[in-house]
Amino acid sequence: MAERTHRQSSRKRKLSPLGRFFTFGVVVLILFLGVTVFFRVDDIHVDGDTRYTAAEVTAVAGVERGAHMLFLDPDAIRANIQAGLPYAGQVALRRQFPSRLEVTITDTVAIAVVSGPEGYWLLSREAKLLERLDTRPAQPLIRVQGVGAAVDPIAGGMLYLGEEREYELRYLRDILGALDMLGMTAGVSVLNLSDLHNPQILYDRRIEVQLGPNRNLQSKMNMLAGILDHLEEDESGTIDLNPERPVFRAHDL
């Protein structure tokens, strides 16, 4: 009984001040070594559905070999990659300790084209400038008409039309995003924003769509998809999405 009591009291015995100081020093040393010596980037691994090589991604990521894993800025790295590699869409980063940074990229695709004084620019659904071409692209893309000229366009940047055209640019992005979300981009050949109160879409080269102001756009697009599903393949006409109940007016043959 006395021996058991002695063992219990020994467990409860606190460390001496010197022992506490020594333990604290060991912890500080481990943390110091972790910050200054270990967890350094030695390998950048690139994966995903992307056209870019690991060397191209590493060149623009802004991460040097030997950089500390704990001090990496994911937002900055992601922005560097998306700006430096125009077709880089979604970028996911994962630290794999002790020394590997995994970068997973999913490329974006061109769904629209806009012309300007310097040629043609391919656009993503977010109106990101993907590539400049001297001639109109051969692939079927949405031809954006009626927008102002791009201001200081650069591949990898976002389309910018100037402060006075923010509404126009926002409406363009909203339309492209809604069309892409519903899988309708392949059917749209022209998007005309000359009248921002009533932009028009040419669908399947036989259906004119009047969108009206930028209000309840997703709801309008859902209704548009429903109307198109019920039209015959040879029907042509105009779909007016301005009213609360959309109207289809057949073209006279």
Side-chain angles (χ1 to χ4, degrees):
M1 184 68 177
E3 184 178 351
R4 183 186 304 171
T5 303
H6 176 73
R7 286 199 301 267
Q8 290 175 347
S9 61
S10 297
R11 294 195 195 103
K12 297 179 180 179
R13 188 178 301 161
K14 297 181 179 178
L15 290 174
S16 66
L18 181 60
R20 290 198 298 270
F21 178 79
F22 177 77
T23 302
F24 176 77
V26 170
V27 172
V28 171
L29 178 61
I30 292 174
L31 292 176
F32 176 78
L33 291 175
V35 170
T36 59
V37 178
F38 304 114
F39 307 138
R40 297 285 181 171
V41 177
D42 184 57
D43 177 33
I44 300 178
H45 178 73
V46 178
D47 196 4
D49 184 13
T50 180
R51 67 183 64 195
Y52 300 112
T53 64
E56 290 173 319
V57 175
T58 302
V60 301
V63 179
E64 297 182 359
R65 295 190 185 278
H68 201 282
M69 296 278 284
L70 296 177
F71 297 153
L72 297 178
D73 185 343
D75 291 336
I77 297 172
R78 192 176 297 110
N80 289 341
I81 294 174
Q82 291 172 333
L85 305 175
Y87 281 92
Q90 295 181 351
V91 179
L93 304 174
R94 179 172 176 265
R95 299 178 179 93
Q96 188 172 356
F97 293 100
S99 59
R100 185 176 189 177
L101 177 64
E102 293 186 350
V103 183
T104 303
I105 300 177
T106 302
D107 281 355
T108 189
V109 297
I111 67 170
V113 57
V114 61
S115 62
E118 299 181 351
Y120 298 85
W121 279 97
L122 304 185
L123 300 179
S124 71
R125 60 170 287 172
E126 300 87 6
K128 182 182 182 182
L129 298 166
L130 302 178
E131 185 178 354
R132 190 190 71 82
L133 302 176
D134 292 326
T135 58
R136 181 181 295 175
Q139 68 264 43
L141 298 171
I142 301 173
R143 286 190 291 121
V144 179
Q145 300 176 343
V147 297
V151 178
D152 298 328
I154 182 171
M158 302 300 293
L159 176 65
Y160 181 61
L161 304 175
E163 293 183 4
E164 69 282 1
R165 293 182 176 270
E166 280 298 320
Y167 176 84
E168 181 178 350
L169 180 58
R170 184 168 61 252
Y171 204 175
L172 170 61
R173 287 198 300 260
D174 290 346
I175 294 172
L176 293 179
L179 289 172
D180 186 57
M181 183 180 297
L182 292 172
M184 298 174 61
T185 56
V188 177
S189 54
V190 177
L191 167 58
N192 192 325
L193 285 96
S194 298
D195 181 2
L196 289 178
H197 296 289
N198 194 24
Q200 297 186 357
I201 286 174
L202 179 60
Y203 189 85
D204 200 24
R205 301 187 183 278
R206 60 188 177 88
I207 304 294
E208 297 177 3
V209 182
Q210 298 177 355
L211 295 176
N214 191 7
R215 294 193 299 268
N216 304 318
L217 180 62
Q218 192 59 56
S219 177
K220 291 179 181 179
M221 288 298 187
N222 290 334
M223 289 188 290
L224 172 61
I227 294 173
L228 293 173
D229 285 342
H230 288 86
L231 293 180
E232 299 295 335
E233 292 185 359
D234 58 349
E235 279 189 281
S236 62
T238 299
I239 299 175
D240 188 354
L241 297 176
N242 277 290
E244 184 175 343
R245 297 177 63 87
V247 176
F248 173 70
R249 295 186 294 270
H251 290 168
D252 295 332
L253 296 179

